[in-house]
């Protein structure tokens, strides 16, 4: 049975008829076409589906859509503005943190939440913030470098933006 779901997604108020048992990831991907949020393990273990709910990381694959009614949801699509990548998206691209790219949206959303509450995190604080996000390419060094560069607002050459 569907019921009306009202929430804000990437700054836009939404009202949609959504099944009561629909997962947030299915609502975002299937109903809204926001396919940047990836479905990885489907069990809340890999972090690929991380979105922000009121600025805090949340696993969309284990969150019922109706449980976030009235809240603000941010996906990877919401970070860029007018076609321009955010500083984190740009840093992942320039510092090769994206690798195969499947885990990247979840990594970036978890890192975005970290940088909002701690603009100058240590390497250990970045590791702790991304601990729930798995990279199957096993290339965490470039991911950590990317988040550090975004925190310093540096490009790939180490020049401050």
């Amino acid at each position: 049975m569907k019921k009306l779901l009202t929430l804000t997604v990437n700054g836009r108020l939404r009202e949609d008829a959504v099944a009561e048992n629909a997962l947030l990831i299915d609502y975002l991907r299937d109903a809204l076409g926001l396919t940047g949020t990836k479905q990885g393990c489907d069990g809340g273990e890999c972090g690929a589906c991380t979105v922000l709910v009121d600025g805090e990381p949340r696993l969309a694959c284990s969150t019922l859509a109706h449980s976030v009614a009235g809240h603000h949801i941010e996906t990877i699509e919401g970070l860029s503005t007018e076609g321009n990548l955010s500083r984190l998206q740009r840093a992942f691209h320039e510092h090769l943190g994206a690798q195969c790219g499947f885990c990247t949206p979840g990594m970036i959303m978890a890192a975005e939440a970290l940088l909002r509450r701690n603009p100058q995190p240590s390497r250990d604080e970045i590791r702790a913030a991304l601990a729930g996000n798995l990279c199957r390419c096993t290339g965490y060094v470039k991911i950590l470098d990317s988040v550090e560069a975004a925190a310093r607002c540096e490009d790939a050459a180490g020049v401050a933006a």
Side-chain angles (χ1 to χ4, degrees), residues 58-75:
R58 174 91 61 99
L59 300 174
C61 77
S62 58
T63 300
L64 289 173
H66 283 282
S67 73
V68 294
H71 293 272
H72 293 265
I73 313 304
E74 295 174 77
T75 69

Side-chain angles (χ1 to χ4, degrees), residues 26-80:
D26 295 329
Y27 170 69
L28 294 170
R29 290 181 59 85
D30 300 339
L32 304 186
L34 298 172
T35 57
T37 303
K38 303 300 183 206
Q39 188 165 14
C41 66
D42 201 24
E45 297 174 6
C46 75
C49 65
T50 302
V51 297
L52 301 185
V53 177
D54 297 332
E56 293 298 318
R58 174 91 61 99
L59 300 174
C61 77
S62 58
T63 300
L64 289 173
H66 283 282
S67 73
V68 294
H71 293 272
H72 293 265
I73 313 304
E74 295 174 77
T75 69
I76 190 73
E77 291 91 344
L79 293 185
S80 64

Side-chain angles (χ1 to χ4, degrees), residues 99-154:
Q99 302 172 91
C100 87
F102 195 82
C103 71
T104 304
M107 292 278 187
I108 289 176
M109 297 311 289
E112 177 71 21
L114 169 65
L115 294 180
R116 286 181 186 175
R117 69 178 180 272
N118 181 0
Q120 298 297 317
S122 68
R123 192 118 170 148
D124 286 341
E125 290 169 326
I126 296 169
R127 275 193 190 96
L130 300 181
N133 296 76
L134 301 178
C135 170
R136 290 185 170 88
C137 298
T138 65
Y140 293 98
V141 171
K142 294 193 179 298
I143 292 168
L144 297 172
D145 290 347
S146 298
V147 177
E148 283 184 327
R152 293 187 311 262
C153 296
E154 291 179 354

